[in-house]
Amino acid sequence: MNIQQLTAKTLSQPGRSAIPDVHHIPRDERRQAHEDRLAITYEHVGVGIVEIDEAGRMLRVNQRLCELMGHEAADLLGRSIFDETSPHDVAHDLAQFRRQITGDIDRYTIEKRIVRKDGSSFWAEVTSVSVRDASGNFLYAVRVQHDISARKETEFALARRSEEQGALFEFSENLQRATSFSDVYDAALDAILAALACDRASILLFDEREVMRFVGWRGLSDGYRRAVEGHSPWARDERNPRPVYFEDIGASGLSDALKETIAREKIAAVAFIPILIGGRLAGKFMAYYDSPHRFTDPGVDVALTLARQLGFGIAKLRAEEARSAAEQSAQQLVSIVESSDDAIISKDLDGIIRTWNPGAERLFGYTAGETIGKPVTILFPPGREDEEPGILARIRRGERVHHYETVRRRKDGRLLDISLTVSPVRDDTGTIIGASKIARDITDRKEAERKVQESELRLKELLAAIPAAIYTTDAQGKITYFNEAAVEFSGRMPVLGTDEWCVTWKLYMPDGTPLPHDQCPMAVALKEGRAVRGAEAVAERPDGTRVPFIPFPTPLRDSSGKVTGAINMLVDISERRQAETQQRLLLDELNHRTKNNMQMLQSLLFSAARTAHSEEARKVLNEASARIAAMAAAQRVLYGRSDTSRFDAEEFLPAVCQTIRQLLPADARIECGAAHGVLSNDVAMPLALILNELLTNAVKHGIKDHARQGVRVSLTEYDGRLALCVEDDGEGFDLEAVRKTSSGLQLVLGLARQLRGTLHVTKSPSRACLDFPVAKS
């Protein structure tokens, strides 16, 4: 029979009251009943009771203790009471218990957290009392524990409210002392961390581009800030933005990319709290937690209070800065007015002078004391008084008078050309109460304009007297002026402001190709901002006649270098073209006769070579024939052009190489390479002879196997000099060794001196180069 059954039996016997008559119960039964009642009380008392030995092992536990800890009694017996204690509280409890074992104390009471079977914990108040034998030796300790979790929660809540209020109060105090935005942000971050018990915090505000930027932070990496800067959970114009928070980032609905970014920063929970200034969203502050966090309504209210205080602090500092800037601007304005060289005057709507700066005193000769309180018309010369009513009428309508040029009179009677700008002056309600006037002396400018006009008149007279067609345009190419010679040249009357680029009716290239006006030399000069020289064109008059001409378009610039227009002169070259045609005919005739003579001479030499009995004679005659052929090739290039004084190397080199190749063995491989530069006619014949000698020498003496070896020729320009190079795949020769024995080489050296050049010979590779100066223009 268990304790509960025994007790129930004892108390339920017939005729027995709740308090039995102990005198009629045997002593042994009375003692057993007493023990039974104590056992029942032990089990069901409203507190947890445990008996532990000196090692802390649980010897006996009551039912209430099992309920508090979520264990069966069998699970607890034999285990250490300190195993069930939160790690944060073990050290203190164990230290006290050891003192109790040694007898320093007989009892102690502590508050600690106890871990249940399911992993949760609760706060308990534990009283530990020693039980000792008659000799005072420690037998065991009886520990009574009460669940005080509700009280602790209340205490913690009160402490949290106290910390929040303290943080808010300190924040308010710090805002009063803040003199810069960094002071405000630092105070706010301190308050956020303290009031919300978060691990990290930041503040972001919209910048002038309406992008939310970090202005203050604690504990955030640069990479994280770069990744999330600009993000806002609210629209810029949202009327009533509410806090947004995520108690567990991992379980939130945020995008995977944003989750990953936040996870890398080891943030588990976050709150977005809007900052309002003047009822408009200005930014946000962020509270970050390193572990999941539950956001309560009181906590959110505290966050909103912090945001309001932060908004007030920022607005206050902005207002102070704006006021300071306004005061500084006003001071600067006063300084500008006082130091301005212009006359700055204010007057009321009746035209009475109210202020007068030093510039006005210098310009008009009156002191402030002589003018303030008097009508502004004291500055008007006779006949100008009627200007003032019109100006005042415009001011009353709220209009501004811009750069009105007129004449005023100084105190000494001298008249001044001035430019006036008159603006309305308004009071705080926007009502027009007067006008401010800025007067600038433009006497010198007027004089300069008069001189410019006179200069322009003289220039037009000069341009009209020049017997060549001259016209000007604006920066867009519109015709702005033309002289009579331009009318005669174009055969028409140009239309100012309408005709573009040129005064002519139609334009053509020298070869007869149509030339659009917007591609003519004048258009190029304006578009590219440069003078165009050396161009030619043909103008067609309305009657169909055509005139070849050379244009000389030149851009015109202002003092800053900006193109403002252009001037062009058209030079009629009809007579020159006729002369050039006649000259061309004469040159063609001369070329024809010279060519015939050279061909005849070459034929005579060739025939003489064929009939000569001496090998030496045939060799000399063939060399002479080859030299005549090279000279003939140079002549064809020279006289095949309209310009007989200069020609291009890229025309000369292939022509001479081709002629020489015809006189060499058929299997000789000659590569005519790069040719750059301009040659004069004085260079043509000597250079052709030199090339003939070098090329012939390379083929006959340098090349052993024509199938695998060849000769390369080039003519290039560098640093004001030309280089004619002949290179072969042979072994080369020693210049000094053959200088006196080779007549061809002696001819080359003599011609090189004539060209003021130098011959360089190398053997690896086998190359002969003539270096000579470029002909001067």
Side-chain angles (χ1 to χ4, degrees):
M1 182 180 296
N2 60 29
I3 295 173
Q4 287 86 349
Q5 291 171 334
L6 179 61
T7 304
K9 179 181 178 182
T10 302
L11 296 178
S12 60
Q13 291 180 7
R16 295 290 182 93
S17 65
I19 302 175
D21 185 357
V22 297
H23 296 289
H24 295 88
I25 300 175
R27 183 186 301 270
D28 291 340
E29 288 186 14
R30 287 202 304 270
R31 184 173 60 251
Q32 183 62 45
H34 177 69
E35 291 176 357
D36 290 343
R37 286 196 297 273
L38 287 177
I40 293 171
T41 302
Y42 181 86
E43 289 295 327
H44 296 283
V45 70
V47 295
I49 302 174
V50 58
E51 298 172 11
I52 62 174
D53 63 13
E54 60 182 6
R57 291 187 295 268
M58 288 179 272
L59 304 175
R60 184 180 180 184
V61 296
N62 73 343
Q63 186 64 31
R64 179 56 180 161
L65 184 78
C66 294
E67 293 171 357
L68 287 174
M69 298 183 68
H71 284 278
E72 295 293 332
D75 296 335
L76 294 174
L77 296 178
R79 294 176 60 179
S80 172
I81 191 65
F82 300 108
D83 291 341
E84 315 302 325
T85 302
S86 171
H88 299 90
D89 303 326
V90 168
H92 179 58
D93 190 5
L94 187 56
Q96 293 293 90
F97 182 64
R98 285 172 179 166
R99 292 181 63 203
Q100 187 175 19
I101 293 172
T102 60
D104 289 346
I105 56 176
D106 284 331
R107 68 165 57 212
Y108 66 91
T109 300
I110 63 169
E111 294 180 356
K112 70 174 188 176
R113 283 157 289 189
I114 298 176
V115 180
R116 294 189 178 97
K117 182 179 180 179
D118 60 6
S120 63
S121 62
F122 66 96
W123 276 96
E125 182 183 79
V126 178
T127 299
S128 179
V129 180
S130 300
V131 177
R132 301 181 183 276
D133 62 15
S135 300
N137 296 317
F138 180 85
L139 298 177
Y140 58 91
V142 178
R143 296 169 66 92
V144 178
Q145 56 189 42
H146 301 269
D147 185 353
I148 58 171
S149 297
R151 191 193 80 196
K152 277 294 186 180
E153 287 183 4
T154 302
E155 289 177 358
F156 290 150
L158 290 174
R160 187 89 279 278
R161 298 291 86 77
S162 177
E163 291 175 1
E164 292 170 354
Q165 294 303 316
L168 291 172
F169 177 79
E170 185 176 358
F171 184 28
S172 179
E173 289 290 308
N174 289 335
L175 285 180
Q176 297 300 318
R177 294 190 296 269
T179 59
S180 67
F181 286 110
S182 62
D183 290 345
V184 172
Y185 304 149
D186 285 341
L189 291 170
D190 289 341
I192 293 168
L193 292 170
L196 301 184
C198 55
D199 299 297
R200 288 171 277 180
S202 66
I203 302 170
L204 298 91
L205 298 176
F206 285 112
D207 63 8
E208 64 279 357
R209 296 182 179 179
E210 302 294 302
V211 178
M212 214 174 261
R213 306 284 189 191
F214 282 91
V215 297
W217 60 90
R218 297 280 175 81
L220 299 178
S221 67
D222 293 343
Y224 176 77
R225 287 187 287 106
R226 283 193 299 269
V228 302
E229 193 166 54
H231 171 265
S232 173
W234 315 281
R236 180 68 172 93
D237 56 353
E238 190 163 338
R239 290 297 186 92
N240 186 29
R242 301 301 302 163
V244 177
Y245 44 85
F246 298 95
E247 297 183 342
D248 186 347
I249 294 295
S252 69
L254 294 173
S255 66
D256 291 340
L258 188 54
K259 280 184 180 179
E260 183 179 351
T261 300
I262 297 175
R264 282 198 301 269
E265 195 71 5
K266 294 182 172 55
I267 295 171
V270 64
F272 300 74
I273 309 300
I275 300 172
L276 304 180
I277 297 178
R280 187 166 183 258
L281 181 65
K284 66 183 178 182
F285 80 71
M286 308 282 294
Y288 309 93
Y289 297 85
D290 295 343
S291 57
H293 178 81
R294 187 170 68 88
F295 295 96
T296 63
D297 290 342
V300 173
D301 290 340
V302 170
L304 289 173
T305 302
L306 286 169
R308 281 193 294 271
Q309 285 187 289
L310 178 55
F312 292 151
I314 294 172
K316 175 186 173 184
L317 203 56
R318 286 180 178 177
E320 290 177 354
E321 287 194 348
R323 178 181 56 78
S324 177
E327 290 177 354
Q328 185 176 1
S329 297
Q331 186 60 38
Q332 289 177 342
L333 182 60
V334 170
S335 178
I336 290 170
V337 170
E338 291 299 314
S339 62
S340 175
D341 289 333
D342 295 332
I344 302 178
I345 306 165
S346 67
K347 60 185 179 181
D348 61 21
L349 293 179
D350 295 323
I352 303 301
I353 297 172
R354 295 304 178 192
T355 62
W356 183 268
N357 77 331
E361 182 174 339
R362 288 190 294 271
L363 182 61
F364 295 112
Y366 292 99
T367 65
E370 292 175 310
T371 56
I372 294 177
K374 294 182 180 179
V376 74
T377 51
I378 63 172
L379 305 176
F380 287 49
R384 296 271 182 174
E385 295 87 350
D386 58 345
E387 293 179 4
E388 181 65 3
I391 293 174
L392 289 175
R394 294 179 63 180
I395 292 300
R396 289 189 180 96
R397 293 195 298 269
E399 298 178 14
R400 188 182 183 195
V401 180
H402 292 276
H403 305 300
Y404 174 65
E405 295 186 3
T406 185
V407 178
R408 292 293 182 262
R409 182 177 60 186
R410 281 176 50 86
K411 179 180 179 180
D412 59 12
R414 182 162 58 91
L415 299 182
L416 299 172
D417 289 308
I418 65 170
S419 173
L420 289 178
T421 296
V422 189
S423 304
V425 174
R426 304 174 186 269
D427 61 14
D428 294 340
T429 65
T431 303
I432 297 172
I433 58 174
S436 65
K437 178 186 296 185
I438 301 176
R440 176 167 296 178
D441 185 359
I442 59 172
T443 303
D444 292 342
R445 196 196 79 192
K446 286 289 187 181
E447 179 63 18
E449 289 175 354
R450 183 186 64 77
K451 291 180 179 179
V452 169
Q453 290 173 354
E454 292 177 356
S455 177
E456 289 179 350
L457 179 60
R458 288 195 299 270
L459 179 60
K460 288 181 179 180
E461 292 174 350
L462 175 62
L463 294 177
I466 295 176
I470 295 177
Y471 68 93
T472 62
T473 71
D474 60 17
Q476 287 70 46
K478 299 287 187 182
I479 306 298
T480 57
Y481 167 81
F482 56 86
N483 64 1
E484 286 300 322
V487 177
E488 182 180 350
F489 175 87
S490 61
R492 60 187 289 271
M493 182 66 71
V495 180
L496 295 179
T498 300
D499 283 2
E500 290 183 313
W501 313 119
C502 190
V503 294
T504 56
W505 188 48
K506 292 181 180 179
L507 287 172
Y508 297 89
M509 300 290 287
D511 62 0
T513 304
L515 176 62
H517 275 66
D518 61 358
Q519 298 177 19
C520 71
M522 183 61 151
V524 172
L526 280 170
K527 293 174 181 177
E528 298 183 4
R530 63 179 180 87
V532 177
R533 299 291 183 266
E536 293 187 17
V538 177
E540 182 178 300
R541 298 187 176 105
D543 61 7
T545 59
R546 294 189 177 186
V547 183
F549 69 94
I550 297 177
F552 294 87
T554 303
L556 302 175
R557 302 178 185 274
D558 60 17
S559 58
S560 66
K562 181 181 178 182
V563 174
T564 58
I567 185 170
N568 198 3
M569 180 172 68
L570 310 179
V571 178
D572 186 345
I573 58 172
S574 300
E575 294 182 0
R576 197 187 83 179
R577 279 281 179 261
Q578 294 174 1
E580 288 176 352
T581 301
Q582 185 64 31
Q583 182 184 31
R584 183 73 258 173
L585 292 174
L586 292 174
L587 287 172
D588 288 345
E589 179 64 21
L590 176 62
N591 182 36
H592 177 68
R593 293 187 181 187
T594 303
K595 181 173 65 175
N596 287 342
N597 291 336
M598 284 190 172
Q599 288 176 346
M600 184 181 295
L601 178 59
Q602 189 175 6
S603 296
L604 291 173
L605 292 172
F606 184 71
S607 297
R610 292 179 59 186
T611 60
H613 297 289
S614 168
E615 182 64 28
E616 181 67 23
R618 282 196 299 274
K619 178 182 177 183
V620 171
L621 290 172
N622 283 333
E623 289 177 353
S625 177
R627 291 166 181 163
I628 293 297
M631 294 172 63
Q635 180 192 344
R636 287 196 302 274
V637 174
L638 179 61
Y639 290 99
R641 298 170 49 85
S642 59
D643 185 358
T644 58
S645 63
R646 303 173 70 81
F647 55 94
D648 291 331
E650 60 184 355
E651 297 179 19
F652 169 82
L653 191 64
V656 177
C657 285
Q658 181 63 29
T659 300
I660 297 172
R661 183 184 285 111
Q662 294 173 2
L663 302 175
L664 297 174
D667 59 351
R669 293 192 297 114
I670 299 176
E671 179 183 338
C672 189
H676 304 291
V678 178
L679 305 171
S680 68
N681 58 353
D682 294 336
V683 172
M685 294 305 174
L687 200 61
L689 291 173
I690 291 172
L691 179 58
N692 175 73
E693 297 301 323
L694 295 178
L695 195 53
T696 301
N697 181 68
V699 172
K700 289 184 177 180
H701 304 294
I703 300 300
K704 304 300 182 184
D705 184 355
H706 290 295
R708 292 186 301 172
Q709 297 177 320
V711 182
R712 293 166 294 282
V713 185
S714 64
L715 181 56
T716 56
E717 181 178 0
Y718 68 95
D719 297 335
R721 299 185 69 80
L722 289 163
L724 174 67
C725 293
V726 177
E727 181 180 323
D728 60 63
D729 296 323
E731 297 178 356
F733 64 93
D734 188 335
L735 177 61
E736 295 302 323
V738 300
R739 178 190 293 270
K740 296 182 179 179
T741 60
S742 172
S743 60
L745 187 56
Q746 291 176 5
L747 175 62
V748 169
L749 293 173
L751 293 172
R753 287 192 296 272
Q754 180 180 334
L755 296 177
R756 294 181 292 113
T758 305
L759 182 66
H760 303 279
V761 176
T762 61
K763 298 185 71 174
S764 295
S766 176
R767 180 188 296 134
C769 288
L770 174 67
D771 179 87
F772 61 98
V774 176
K776 295 183 179 179
S777 301

